Amino acid sequence: MTAGGTPAPIRASEALRKKLAKIGLHSETDLLLHLPLRYEDETRLTPVDRALCGAAVQLEVTVLYSEVQLRPRRQLVARAADASGEITLRFFSFYPSQQALLAEGTRLRVFGEARDGFFGLEMVHPRLRKIAAGDPLPTALTPVYPSTAGVAEATLQKLIAAALAGAELPDTLPDEARRQLQLPGFARSLRFLHAPPADADVDALQARHHPAWQRIKFDEALAQQLSLRRAWLARRQQGAPPLRAQDDLGERLVASLPFGLTGAQARAVAEIGGDLAQPYPMQRLLQGDVGAGKTIVAALAACQAISAGWQAAFMAPTEILAEQHYLKLRAWLEALGVRVAWLTGSLKSKAKREQLAAAAADAQLVVGTHALIQEGVDFARLGLVIVDEQHRFGVAQRLALRKKGDNPHQLMMSATPIPRTLAMSYYADLDVTVLDELPPGRTPVKTRLIAASRRADVVGFVEKHVGEGRQAYWVCPLIEESEALQLQTAEETHAQLSADLPGRRVGLAHGRLKADAKQAVMAAFAAGDIDVLVATTVIEVGVDVPNASLMVIEHAERFGLSQLHQLRGRVGRGAYQSSCVLIYAGPLGEVARRRLKIIFENNDGFEIARQDLHLRGPGEFVGARQSGVPLLRYADLEEDAALVEQARAVAEDMLTAHPALAEAHLRRWLGAREELLKS
Ligand code: ADP
Ligand code: MG
């Protein structure tokens, strides 16, 4: 590990270096931080007659004879013995070198799991090590490293041992933090993990609970937090227009609402308002469960920008959602004299041209889909960018919208709640505001699980519901393999339900409808002119029809948990008791059963997300893959949440109080990857 500059490359042949690069090993430092998956105990010997114990053991034997047998298939078979008994060693594939090792009379240490074979005690493919009588046993456990094709475990062991021998390993954690957190030293921890003594607590090592592991995991989390924190600070160095309200537009909007803001909304508005007034760009994530009321918070942020003489852009991932926002924002704001424009990809060209011109010229708020980020859309004075359902957009798309202005402030919104630890890892360079309170008067949605065989009962339930003047959604199964098939299913379901519910108005909305047709269906449903809306997942986000209080989802087992939660959030928006019926087709696999149980038992999106994370692991979690932040290798976001929290606190302090240590720490852990993270 060098003191500074570029990290020292691995001392190995070009061919080997290429292979190592495939598993992320580029430098000597990378080797040092490549930690064992597990250990093998070669520090002691087991007598042959006690080898059969269900675990890998080491024997010390002398070869009696060996031969290559051709039947039933070609194999190398040896017979070997110690004072206590004899054992067969069997190889179905082998090298001449192994054959040579098994020459009669050779003294060997063999490592492997013994079994009771057809011809008595045997080991298949044991590891062989030639020794002389009296050779000492190793005093440390043997590390087993994650490797890759073409790199022998022994090669990796040697490379890492050599790197370790010459390494200085200075500690990069400030002393007081180390004492306070009661973590062992870095060098000691690292050396221990690569070569634990024979009497080490192997279970604690394997489970990564050992203090040495705690230290390494902490350091890894610290590097991640330092990097994110630094990006956050760097952003503060950039200038942005301070948006201070010049009139009472916001107050007038609040006064015109039929409801008062919840405490959480008021806090969010204040927090965002404070950010907007700063001379550097806000980058804030507004998180809130489905129905928490994020739109009005965003609208009030837009009011502040507009009142300050700047434009705001509001981008949503789907046309339906963008349009809903447009209609709602226009209803709220036009009455107050705000010019609201609308922009999507499907606008007829002339209308589109006008809208584009308006966006560039004098609209104060522009609402739209990703059409907003296309070329040819020019904003005159873009001060605030709002992105709804931000996890549905890629990094590049969010960046493109930001580039439409000169460092505009950014407000991102997400209804997919992200557990705190995950948020800390993926969004630590964002400021996060959580709407942790639902507007009053919401009735919790009753969830039922019903087998597909009882579909007729569900239809009866819908009939009764509609008879009471309510409306219902019927969501068709997700068919990932084929959009055509999904469409066909939706059409069939529509025909079937129309027949099952005579006299009821059954509508159909799916992704393939032309924009104006889709718009017409959604408008009719919102106006109460449709009783039952058959839909594909196009209604997943944002649709807001308070009189709809029944949600039926077919083949619920095919949906993701957050998707089910979002869909269920479409109901329970009015004063009526709302229900969500999840129809599942059996037999359910274990995971499907557990997922449905989670959604059945929980109404809180954060809790659902937490359990989902537990079930799936963070890698698959929303947006994670796009975030550009590499996953932690050693620390586990769930299990090591406390460590990540501590790392976050230390990172904040370290950047100002110990910048040199922070620098060294980042170099050690992120090396060249640090650059990647900044982009
Ligand atoms: P989401 O957070 O899912 O985007 P919305 O902004 O769509 O939620 O709000 C859901 C519904 O709740 C809308 O009909 C909205 O007008 C209403 N709403 C928002 N805030 C309040 C409030 N403080 N009191 C009552 N209703 C509210
Ligand atoms: Mg919303």
Side-chain angles (χ1 to χ4, degrees):
M1 211 171 273
T2 50
T6 43
I10 296 174
R11 287 183 293 262
S13 72
E14 178 71 27
L16 181 55
R17 279 216 303 266
K18 271 197 184 134
K19 285 180 194 155
L20 292 171
K22 275 196 214 146
I23 46 173
L25 302 177
H26 304 280
S27 67
E28 292 277 306
T29 306
D30 290 342
L31 282 179
L32 295 174
L33 299 177
H34 194 62
L35 292 170
L37 277 177
R38 57 188 177 83
Y39 301 91
E40 285 174 351
D41 188 354
E42 294 179 290
T43 64
R44 59 190 125 206
L45 296 173
T46 303
V48 169
D49 68 349
R50 269 187 276 150
L52 200 63
C53 62
V57 291
Q58 180 171 241
L59 316 174
E60 189 167 308
V61 293
T62 306
V63 178
L64 301 177
Y65 66 87
S66 66
E67 63 180 6
V68 175
Q69 296 177 355
L70 297 173
R71 269 167 234 288
R73 57 187 267 212
R74 191 166 179 272
Q75 51 187 289
L76 172 62
V77 180
R79 196 76 180 149
D82 69 2
S84 75
E86 288 186 17
I87 186 167
T88 300
L89 309 176
R90 200 181 292 280
F91 298 82
F92 294 106
S93 61
F94 51 93
Y95 297 104
S97 58
Q98 281 166 316
Q99 219 173 329
L101 276 183
L102 290 168
E104 185 185 330
T106 314
R107 201 175 176 85
L108 292 173
R109 289 200 184 127
V110 305
F111 188 91
E113 200 171 317
R115 63 178 196 188
D116 196 11
F118 192 68
F119 300 103
L121 197 61
E122 68 172 23
M123 263 191 201
V124 177
H125 292 170
R127 195 165 63 228
L128 307 177
R129 203 188 293 276
K130 184 177 173 175
I131 51 145
D135 270 0
L137 285 163
T139 52
L141 300 177
T142 309
V144 180
Y145 295 104
S147 191
T148 179
V151 182
E153 190 56 47
T155 308
L156 209 45
Q157 284 167 353
K158 268 187 218 128
L159 280 172
I160 292 173
L164 208 52
E168 267 179 47
L169 308 176
D171 212 300
T172 47
L173 191 55
D175 284 341
E176 68 269 20
R178 192 158 74 73
R179 266 198 303 276
Q180 204 186 5
L181 299 168
Q182 298 187 319
L183 289 167
F186 174 71
R188 223 179 92 203
S189 302
L190 201 69
R191 292 189 191 281
F192 182 90
L193 291 178
H194 281 296
D199 61 352
D201 180 348
V202 176
D203 288 338
L205 279 176
Q206 219 90 297
R208 299 189 173 172
H209 288 151
H210 193 281
W213 264 122
Q214 294 296 105
R215 170 62 204 259
I216 295 303
K217 292 196 283 192
F218 179 84
D219 276 23
E220 180 186 51
L222 178 63
Q224 183 202 41
Q225 294 299 317
L226 280 171
S227 168
L228 291 166
R229 180 75 187 171
R230 212 158 63 164
W232 186 88
L233 288 169
R235 217 176 45 246
R236 297 210 148 197
Q237 306 301 314
Q238 304 170 345
L243 306 177
R244 298 199 181 89
Q246 300 301 320
D247 58 23
D248 60 352
L249 180 61
E251 285 87 346
R252 283 189 291 137
L253 172 55
V254 172
S256 75
L257 294 172
F259 52 79
L261 297 183
T262 63
Q265 283 171 321
R267 280 193 297 279
V269 169
E271 214 160 22
I272 293 164
D275 283 1
L276 291 176
Q278 302 300 322
Y280 47 82
M282 166 174 86
Q283 197 160 331
R284 191 169 279 279
L285 176 68
L286 177 61
Q287 254 188 45
D289 208 345
V290 193
K294 295 182 288 295
T295 320
I296 184 63
V297 175
L300 286 164
C303 281
Q304 185 166 331
I306 293 163
S307 170
W310 291 77
Q311 290 173 297
F314 194 134
M315 181 163 79
T318 67
E319 186 129 354
I320 287 189
L321 183 54
E323 190 187 14
Q324 278 227 339
H325 281 322
Y326 170 62
L327 295 174
K328 183 165 248 175
L329 291 164
R330 203 177 61 172
W332 280 340
L333 292 169
E334 267 187 359
L336 306 176
V338 176
R339 295 179 300 277
V340 185
W342 158 243
L343 196 64
T344 76
S346 66
L347 287 178
K348 298 257 167 3
S349 61
K350 181 162 176 292
K352 190 167 176 174
R353 272 200 301 278
E354 283 170 14
Q355 300 283 8
L356 287 174
D362 66 355
Q364 292 165 298
L365 173 62
V366 188
V367 185
T369 57
H370 48 265
L372 284 179
I373 57 180
Q374 266 139 37
E375 238 173 280
V377 182
D378 295 310
F379 295 89
R381 266 168 80 76
L382 187 58
L384 169 65
V385 157
I386 300 166
V387 180
D388 197 15
E389 303 293 337
Q390 65 96 21
H391 59 277
R392 306 260 304 237
F393 291 99
V395 177
Q397 287 172 307
R398 294 193 301 245
L399 200 65
L401 184 55
R402 207 162 81 202
K403 293 227 166 102
K404 293 287 177 187
D406 183 19
N407 264 337
H409 297 272
Q410 294 178 75
L411 177 63
M412 281 155 288
M413 306 201 282
S414 179
T416 302
I418 297 154
R420 185 171 155 73
T421 40
L422 208 54
M424 272 191 315
S425 289
Y426 291 108
Y427 300 111
D429 65 330
L430 301 184
D431 299 296
V432 180
T433 297
V434 179
L435 287 184
D436 53 4
E437 181 184 357
L438 289 180
R442 294 282 159 79
T443 45
V445 179
K446 222 184 237 162
T447 301
R448 299 159 205 248
L449 289 172
I450 295 188
S453 55
R454 290 178 50 208
R455 189 175 186 278
D457 293 355
V458 181
V459 173
F461 192 56
V462 173
E463 170 61 39
K464 177 162 168 288
H465 191 85
V466 171
E468 287 165 5
R470 299 290 113 62
Q471 291 163 278
Y473 297 97
W474 187 294
V475 177
C476 296
L478 187 69
I479 302 172
E480 281 186 346
E481 307 81 56
S482 159
E483 202 190 337
L485 209 57
Q486 171 144 349
L487 187 60
Q488 187 193 335
T489 314
E491 279 166 350
E492 282 167 12
T493 307
H494 178 250
Q496 183 65 47
L497 277 177
S498 302
D500 289 345
L501 299 165
R504 300 302 182 194
R505 297 158 302 178
V506 183
L508 175 62
H510 56 72
R512 276 301 182 83
L513 283 183
K514 287 251 158 50
D516 28 357
K518 208 188 297 177
Q519 205 169 310
V521 177
M522 297 311 292
F525 188 63
D529 295 336
I530 288 175
D531 300 309
V532 181
L533 182 65
V534 175
T536 55
T537 43
V538 291
I539 62 155
E540 184 189 340
V541 284
V543 176
D544 188 21
V545 180
N547 192 49
S549 50
L550 174 61
M551 168 66 65
V552 179
I553 303 173
E554 274 195 273
H555 277 294
E557 76 281 358
R558 292 187 193 167
F559 290 84
L561 281 188
S562 71
Q563 220 174 1
L564 288 176
H565 180 64
Q566 292 246 3
L567 284 168
R568 182 170 59 182
R570 298 305 112 211
V571 297
R573 299 190 155 220
Y576 321 106
Q577 172 61 60
S578 293
S579 306
C580 176
V581 177
L582 302 176
I583 306 181
Y584 64 89
L588 291 177
E590 174 60 18
V591 172
R593 209 181 51 75
R594 276 168 56 191
R595 288 171 55 228
L596 289 179
K597 184 161 177 280
I598 292 173
I599 202 84
F600 176 71
E601 287 176 352
N602 294 281
N603 254 315
D604 174 355
F606 278 83
E607 183 54 26
I608 290 170
R610 204 186 60 73
Q611 299 200 21
D612 198 15
L613 174 68
H614 182 68
L615 212 61
R616 286 195 297 167
E620 267 190 66
F621 219 80
V622 283
R625 264 168 306 192
Q626 339 173 318
S627 77
V629 181
L631 291 174
L632 298 168
R633 276 186 295 169
Y634 303 128
D636 178 280
L637 282 177
E638 203 179 349
E639 193 161 306
D640 302 314
L643 275 182
V644 180
E645 298 254 9
Q646 289 165 345
R648 183 179 170 93
V650 172
E652 275 178 33
D653 176 59
M654 212 168 145
L655 280 173
T656 46
H658 305 278
L661 283 180
E663 213 36 64
H665 191 83
L666 280 167
R667 218 172 25 240
R668 171 178 287 167
W669 279 94
L670 299 178
R673 263 165 297 171
E674 167 76 327
E675 280 310 311
L676 236 162
L677 289 180
K678 280 187 212 146
S679 56

